[in-house]
Amino acid sequence: MQDDLFAASAQPADAAAARAAELRAQLHHHAHRYYTLDAPEIPDAEYDRLFRELQAIEAAHPELWTPDSPTQRVGGSVLKELRPVRHAVPMLSIRTETDTEASGAVAFDTRVRRELALGEGDPPVEYVAELKFDGLAMSLRYEDGVLVRASTRGDGETGEDVTHNVRTIGQIPLRLAHSVPPVLEVRGEVYMRRDDFEALNERQRAKIAAGAKGEKTFVNPRNAAAGAVRQLDSGIAAQRPLSFFAYGWGEVSGDGLLGSTQFDALMRLKAWGFPVAEQTRVCHGADELVAFHRHIGETRDSLPYDIDGVVYKVNRLDLQQRLGFVTREPRWAVAHKYPAQEQLTTVQAIDVQVGRTGKLTPVAKLAPVFVGGVTVTNATLHNELEARRKDVRVGDTVVVRRAGDVIPEVVSVLADKRVGDPPPFTMPAHCPVCGSAAVREEGEADHRCTGGLFCAAQRKQAILHYAQRRALDIEGLGDKLVEQLVDGGLINTLPDLYKLGFTALAALERMADKSAQNLLDALEKSKHTTLPRFLYGLGIRHVGEATAKDLARHFGSLDRILDASVDALLQVNDVGPVVAQSIRTFFDQAHNREVVEQLRAAGVTWPEGEGAQNTPQPLLGKTFVLTGTFPTLKRDDAKAMLEAAGAKVAGSVSKKTDYVVAGADAGSKLDKAQELGVAVIDEAGMLALLADPPTA
Ligand code: IVH
């Protein structure tokens, strides 16, 4: 390796020049594959080797340095100040509609039609709908295809020269691939992906924890991106991973090179190597814009980066020109925003809540704030480790995020806004509700209250869980009522539910006679249930709806489950050691068995005996793996037949597999079976086994 580099740098100047050019071309190609297309052709180590070879040549022959050399990407230049750059074509902003309703798009379309003097009989206007990226606007100037200048928007007329930092952004081509106009200014947004942002803040927190001076965490990806772009030291910028999307252009020499529509132009930019968001759509009329706004609004949370809205633009460039500008805004474009997903607020307290299984969750009590479309007063801190990692303290100013249906979260703390020195959060040693010891088991992040059903919080949660729609479905038994019933001592355990009488219920606060009777009716109705609902309703840790169904199907009756050994439980589909042990532990507790007995005594029933164990189980203890396509049976049907005969159907082949049933196009599972010497049969073989099972 060293010898290689030495050889590279020691070669004569013209050979070095040729090799440098060759290496640059290769590195440009691979950087585009890696950063923009996300489809590298060579391993990272090979890229690094080419890169270092070029660095060595440039070090030995400084005259060979070029502004578009990929070596510029690592940064290194340190400026005293950012120089002003006058934009050849001003960088304008666009009008914003904050309306959350469809009317934003409708109002825009109406204006455009009026300006273009279109009547009702005229066809819909064609638009391009784009994402509105939440980063900072950037103008990239290419001369003869080489990036010569990158500048921020500034006041629109004059921005700042940030070329040294922008060269470190892998997604921005330093040189354009095909024939390009002599002057091309590409406009777009520099932004930071959310995962890159989280990782950056993680690194910042580690630096701060290690005592580094002058380091801070960032409030949001846009702030982090803006800070990186305006660094004087490009070495620092290079460590802050930035990305880019193109959405427009400034000065372009030569007419018609970008095509005749906004969409053509974007595709041209894409072909030249710029990232263009794949969500970009051509839309006809207001209706399609509204549909786009709604669709993006619904899928916004799954994007790896933040957007704060969508942008509608008239597609035809000649119409854009005809529409022109009002003051500093184009008449042919509008931004349509979504409600913000992040807001600043303050932490008034940190409470600890107790969940159904005793999990203790620290929750930040917030000064009410409108975020993501609702007013938020609580945000989870998940567990003690998380709360301490983010270092959230009472009184802090914090960023709260609520994206979609996800529960609100504290993203970060504005450390410089902290007043005084409030103590870091610690988990209490005792459950705040019942006073039992709170413990954290080895290898787990969560603390748990050890009080079990002695703990009123766990009791309340257990009752709510039992009553929920997917369990026993007791209509009208909500959290307010459960609160009153438990706190008033009317209910201690689940069976107490069925002992409630009309007089006691009707005497409760805000309980009309009619509601009391409705609840009693709902309780009565809940007694006729199914085994899966009952099992799920018991709230056994790790037993969700699917597992409850599998258990019921496999064993057929509650008594068989009560007495099933861990080994027997392991035979159930998708039940592993943790789940099996959890079920066993639950039913080993005398008080849990009592609860089950009392519920049955109160009249809770379900049809029994539909489970597999009522039919003979000739394949009990055998494990099968299915692979490939079978000639007559669907995969699910084959699985059901095997399970009905007591077999376990696993997803991967191991030494414990008894049979692999292989159909057409069987892949690696078949190879694995052959490697391990596991018996391989086909569909016919499987049917024969079912018809005439082995006796051993
Ligand atoms: S077009 C003349 N398209 O939003 C039109 N802007 O005021 C110029 N932005 O800060 C802007 N995504 O950086 C346009 N797809 C998009 C955009 C977009 C984000 C930003 C832009 C500017 C603001 C518009």
Side-chain angles (χ1 to χ4, degrees):
M1 184 71 248
Q2 280 304 322
D3 289 349
D4 267 8
L5 291 184
F6 182 75
S9 53
Q11 58 200 316
D14 48 351
R19 180 63 185 153
E22 189 184 338
L23 285 167
R24 279 181 201 135
Q26 287 181 7
L27 288 165
H28 279 304
H29 170 77
H30 292 302
H32 180 62
R33 302 279 320 177
Y34 182 90
Y35 291 108
T36 306
L37 305 181
D38 213 0
E41 290 170 341
I42 55 171
D44 293 1
E46 176 61 11
Y47 183 89
D48 291 345
R49 200 192 62 72
L50 297 172
F51 191 92
R52 281 196 302 269
E53 188 184 341
L54 178 59
Q55 267 182 327
I57 296 177
E58 287 178 351
H61 304 276
E63 73 283 3
L64 293 179
W65 181 87
T66 60
D68 67 335
S69 175
T71 55
Q72 296 307 298
R73 293 223 190 268
V74 287
S77 53
V78 181
L79 308 182
K80 282 209 200 63
E81 58 180 11
L82 299 178
R83 284 185 302 113
V85 179
R86 213 177 151 71
H87 298 301
V89 174
M91 288 181 80
L92 303 175
S93 60
I94 36 180
R95 177 185 169 127
T96 304
E97 303 275 355
T98 39
D99 228 314
T100 49
E101 298 303 309
S103 53
V106 175
F108 173 58
D109 183 52
T110 307
R111 276 203 307 279
V112 167
R113 293 185 72 88
R114 194 180 52 231
E115 301 282 347
L116 294 175
L118 296 176
E120 274 186 29
D122 292 309
V125 176
E126 201 172 88
Y127 298 102
V128 168
E130 302 174 5
L131 304 182
K132 186 172 189 303
F133 312 104
D134 198 8
L136 67 155
M138 190 63 58
S139 185
L140 306 171
R141 186 177 174 91
Y142 290 82
E143 292 177 2
D144 296 320
V146 174
L147 176 68
V148 294
R149 185 84 53 249
S151 46
T152 61
R153 193 171 94 104
D155 63 4
E157 302 286 336
T158 308
E160 286 174 317
D161 185 341
V162 290
T163 318
H164 61 302
N165 294 330
V166 168
R167 282 209 180 100
T168 68
I169 304 177
Q171 284 191 333
I172 292 184
L174 297 173
R175 182 158 70 184
L176 302 180
H178 326 277
S179 50
V180 281
V183 174
L184 171 67
E185 280 183 6
V186 175
R187 302 247 164 111
E189 199 89 347
V190 168
Y191 67 96
M192 192 177 284
R193 290 168 51 106
R194 280 213 79 81
D195 53 357
D196 286 335
F197 166 73
E198 309 282 353
L200 171 62
N201 260 358
E202 194 67 44
R203 290 197 300 275
Q204 291 300 105
R205 278 192 284 262
K207 284 190 207 164
I208 295 166
K213 289 273 171 293
E215 298 288 352
K216 58 166 197 160
T217 52
F218 298 93
V219 174
N220 56 38
R222 179 163 38 80
N223 258 288
V229 160
R230 301 192 65 256
Q231 283 294 321
L232 295 173
D233 179 349
S234 61
I236 296 180
Q239 293 163 20
R240 309 241 174 111
L242 297 172
S243 303
F244 181 76
F245 275 123
Y247 58 63
W249 55 93
E251 184 182 348
V252 182
S253 60
D255 267 350
L257 273 162
L258 290 172
S260 60
T261 64
Q262 173 79 19
F263 193 77
D264 285 353
L266 291 178
M267 291 308 110
R268 210 66 51 103
L269 293 176
K270 189 170 169 186
W272 278 323
F274 296 94
V276 171
E278 61 187 35
Q279 288 80 1
T280 310
R281 287 284 178 281
V282 174
C283 293
H284 303 85
D287 291 352
E288 291 186 20
L289 293 180
V290 171
F292 182 82
H293 182 264
R294 185 176 317 127
H295 172 69
I296 298 295
E298 282 162 6
T299 48
R300 173 187 188 195
D301 303 332
S302 51
L303 292 173
Y305 46 83
D306 285 349
I307 59 168
D308 55 353
V310 292
V311 178
Y312 313 132
K313 297 175 182 171
V314 170
N315 195 21
R316 271 171 52 181
L317 300 184
D318 60 335
L319 294 184
Q320 286 191 4
Q321 217 156 23
R322 240 172 78 191
L323 286 160
F325 299 85
V326 240
T327 56
R328 307 179 48 75
E329 291 170 350
R331 283 201 193 85
W332 45 265
V334 77
H336 195 175
K337 287 230 195 181
Y338 295 114
Q341 289 177 318
E342 290 187 357
Q343 291 293 350
L344 289 183
T345 186
T346 52
V347 177
Q348 297 175 326
I350 301 178
D351 281 3
V352 174
Q353 288 181 356
V354 189
R356 175 170 59 82
T357 54
K359 176 179 172 334
L360 301 182
T361 306
V363 176
K365 297 280 160 182
L366 307 170
V369 60
F370 191 71
V371 53
V374 300
T375 300
V376 167
T377 51
N378 289 329
T380 180
L381 297 170
H382 300 291
N383 54 49
E384 186 184 45
L385 289 177
E386 272 290 298
R388 296 195 66 133
R389 193 175 65 83
K390 289 184 178 158
D391 195 19
V392 183
R393 306 189 191 186
V394 175
D396 278 353
T397 301
V398 292
V399 180
V400 185
R401 180 176 175 85
R402 180 184 179 271
D405 296 336
V406 187
I407 45 173
E409 242 198 332
V410 170
V411 180
S412 59
V413 173
L414 272 61
D416 46 352
K417 288 238 162 80
R418 180 171 290 162
V419 185
D421 189 20
F425 172 77
T426 47
M427 195 56 101
H430 297 278
C431 170
V433 173
C434 72
S436 302
V439 296
R440 183 158 72 92
E441 273 159 41
E442 262 234 11
E444 291 215 9
D446 298 328
H447 283 73
R448 275 172 205 286
C449 161
T450 52
L453 289 180
F454 170 71
C455 176
Q458 292 186 54
R459 240 162 29 223
K460 288 176 192 168
Q461 296 298 326
I463 293 165
L464 281 171
H465 178 79
Y466 181 82
Q468 65 161 294
R469 198 175 44 78
R470 294 186 318 221
L472 278 282
D473 193 15
I474 307 172
E475 213 175 305
L477 191 58
D479 45 5
K480 291 272 168 345
L481 188 52
V482 169
E483 186 99 31
Q484 285 191 65
L485 292 171
V486 173
D487 291 346
L490 287 171
I491 296 187
N492 278 315
T493 63
L494 292 175
D496 294 345
L497 275 173
Y498 296 105
K499 295 179 195 149
L500 288 170
F502 180 82
T503 339
L505 275 177
L508 290 175
E509 235 178 88
R510 285 191 301 271
M511 179 67 95
D513 285 2
K514 181 139 194 309
S515 329
Q517 191 52 54
N518 284 347
L519 181 64
L520 289 177
D521 291 347
L523 280 162
E524 206 46 44
K525 198 172 132 209
S526 75
K527 288 182 182 171
H528 297 278
T529 189
T530 65
L531 182 52
R533 279 174 178 273
F534 183 77
L535 277 174
Y536 174 60
L538 289 177
I540 305 165
R541 212 170 151 206
H542 302 304
V543 177
E545 266 183 295
T547 307
K549 279 186 190 148
D550 284 337
L551 286 167
R553 190 174 332 121
H554 186 92
F555 290 102
S557 85
L558 183 62
D559 288 324
R560 289 200 197 98
I561 301 173
L562 289 179
D563 296 330
S565 66
V566 166
D567 279 343
L569 289 163
L570 281 171
Q571 293 302 317
V572 180
N573 205 19
D574 288 334
V575 168
V578 174
V579 184
Q581 190 54 58
S582 165
I583 298 168
R584 199 53 265 144
T585 308
F586 184 90
F587 289 121
D588 279 345
Q589 314 247 338
H591 65 259
N592 287 335
R593 290 184 94 102
E594 230 163 83
V595 162
V596 168
E597 277 329 306
Q598 289 177 8
L599 287 170
R600 285 209 272 206
V604 179
T605 61
W606 51 85
E608 280 216 333
E610 288 159 8
Q613 290 220 338
N614 281 350
T615 57
Q617 300 235 294
L619 296 181
L620 192 66
K622 299 281 182 235
T623 301
F624 286 70
V625 171
L626 306 177
T627 177
T629 313
F630 303 131
T632 68
L633 289 173
K634 287 210 190 85
R635 178 88 68 96
D636 281 349
D637 295 338
K639 186 170 174 227
M641 289 166 78
L642 288 168
E643 282 172 359
K648 174 167 180 158
V649 178
S652 58
V653 181
S654 73
K655 274 185 282 187
K656 291 196 188 132
T657 311
D658 295 292
Y659 297 96
V660 167
V661 188
D665 302 320
S668 60
K669 290 179 192 170
L670 181 56
D671 299 341
K672 187 82 192 274
Q674 277 154 354
E675 188 188 313
L676 294 176
V678 173
V680 177
I681 56 177
D682 59 5
E683 182 191 281
M686 180 188 92
L687 292 171
L689 263 184
L690 283 164
D692 185 14
T695 39

